[in-house]
Amino acid sequence: MSDRLPSHLSVGALVRRVNAAGGFAAVRAAGDPQTGAILVLLDEREGFGGEGRMRALERMRGLDDADALVAAGPADATDSAMDDYWRARRARDPDLWVVELAIAGGERFVAETICGG
């Protein structure tokens, strides 16, 4: 048996932490509450409409039964390319959670909250 929190609790904690720290976090698509995979979209643009990129991370279970973050989707993606990517993933896996974050150090928030460190 796994000691991993159910997906809905992990996602809820991530959204609350980011919003409490002054960032923006929103669930773009809700998946299976217990076992759904979690895909996090990191908005790394400078300000509203600024230059930058979007990237995606996914929580994966390793062979050692520990969670890790793995890069997913297109590198240096535009908004529309990332939208196309997660919508295609969601069409194949309706249990997938999709969460978007806009906060400095977003990857750290994800690692601490949904990977336990």
Side-chain angles (χ1 to χ4, degrees), residues 14-71:
L14 178 60
V15 168
R16 282 189 302 281
R17 281 193 69 213
V18 169
N19 287 333
F24 170 80
V27 175
R28 302 280 301 265
D32 182 87
Q34 296 299 314
T35 61
I38 301 173
L39 179 70
V40 180
L41 310 176
L42 297 174
D43 183 344
E44 298 179 332
R45 292 176 291 183
E46 295 291 327
F48 181 73
E51 295 296 316
R53 63 187 181 140
M54 295 280 292
R55 54 184 190 114
L57 299 172
E58 187 167 357
R59 176 179 73 172
M60 301 292 273
R61 176 70 44 119
L63 294 175
D64 61 354
D65 204 35
D67 287 334
L69 293 178
V70 176

Side-chain angles (χ1 to χ4, degrees), residues 2-114:
S2 172
D3 61 350
R4 179 190 268 187
L5 283 176
S7 297
H8 75 284
L9 292 178
S10 294
V11 168
L14 178 60
V15 168
R16 282 189 302 281
R17 281 193 69 213
V18 169
N19 287 333
F24 170 80
V27 175
R28 302 280 301 265
D32 182 87
Q34 296 299 314
T35 61
I38 301 173
L39 179 70
V40 180
L41 310 176
L42 297 174
D43 183 344
E44 298 179 332
R45 292 176 291 183
E46 295 291 327
F48 181 73
E51 295 296 316
R53 63 187 181 140
M54 295 280 292
R55 54 184 190 114
L57 299 172
E58 187 167 357
R59 176 179 73 172
M60 301 292 273
R61 176 70 44 119
L63 294 175
D64 61 354
D65 204 35
D67 287 334
L69 293 178
V70 176
D76 293 327
T78 62
D79 285 347
S80 62
M82 192 58 76
D83 254 10
D84 292 345
Y85 171 74
W86 78 257
R87 289 180 191 283
R89 281 284 311 279
R90 180 106 167 118
R92 291 188 308 273
D93 181 5
D95 293 335
L96 178 69
W97 286 82
V98 181
V99 182
E100 183 173 346
L101 306 181
I103 189 168
E107 187 168 346
R108 178 181 57 87
F109 278 89
V110 177
E112 292 173 354
T113 308
I114 70 172

